[in-house]
Amino acid sequence: ENTEKPPGICVLTFTNKSAKELKVRVKDQIGKKTDSLWAGTFHSFGLQLLRKYHRRLELNPRFHVADTSDCQAIVKDLLINISNTGKNSFQVDKLLNIMQTYKTNPHKTVIAEEDYLAVAKVLLPKYESRKKALGVVDFEDLLQMPIELFERHPDVLTKVQGLFNYFMVDEFQDTNETQMKLLNILVDQHK
């Protein structure tokens, strides 16, 4: 019997359905050596890290993931407390998108109306504080916070890198900047 340690393989996808399908395919190819196979979405990978290392990020151990409607409700509530000049209503989803862009790429030029840009900048720190107070993270946090975790705690990065020798990304061409940054950090040790 082969007692060789199986290679650690991490399969990252964009949907749960493709993760399940790829896990089956990889198992079929490598046989029983699948103890060290992890397959899931970028977001589920991030969620697993946040659950395991929540203390390192000062997250509530029972944090929840806020869906889009939850995030929009937070923004709507925060908007009530902001006085704005001449504009009575904002498209909450548009504001949320601008805020997420500021959060993930603060140096990127966002093209939108000035009033949206100004309100988004004011709302972002309030939004982050409210999420923390509520014990929630949003979908973007599931990608952003693992990067923060690895940057602040190199020992955690070393531990996670040690689990995997290979990373496979389904539909690689669809990775966004944040996903690519996370992936580059993870593969840095093994290239």
Side-chain angles (χ1 to χ4, degrees), residues 34-107:
T34 55
D35 300 349
S36 60
L37 171 66
W38 187 91
T41 64
F42 278 93
H43 290 92
S44 63
F45 182 79
L47 178 60
Q48 186 174 2
L49 286 171
L50 298 186
R51 292 262 183 246
K52 186 168 185 172
Y53 297 104
H54 61 86
R55 282 191 184 96
R56 300 277 189 116
L57 291 166
E58 296 161 13
L59 281 173
N60 181 323
R62 293 182 303 279
F63 74 87
H64 297 284
V65 179
D67 65 19
T68 304
S69 63
D70 295 331
C71 295
Q72 289 175 346
I74 293 170
V75 172
K76 280 181 193 174
D77 188 50
L78 292 171
L79 272 172
I80 293 169
N81 300 320
I82 289 186
S83 62
N84 54 62
T85 56
K87 187 140 178 102
N88 293 330
S89 63
F90 287 91
Q91 293 175 14
V92 174
D93 57 333
K94 187 174 178 179
L95 270 176
L96 199 51
N97 285 337
I98 295 168
M99 289 164 53
Q100 296 292 16
T101 301
Y102 282 149
K103 182 170 139 181
T104 59
N105 198 342
H107 306 294

Side-chain angles (χ1 to χ4, degrees), residues 1 24 34 43 54 75-76 101 131 142-143 154 159 162 165 180-181:
E1 183 171 312
V24 168
T34 55
H43 290 92
H54 61 86
V75 172
K76 280 181 193 174
T101 301
K131 284 190 314 176
L142 297 178
L143 301 175
K159 199 177 287 185
N165 297 322
M180 195 62 211
K181 185 174 181 180

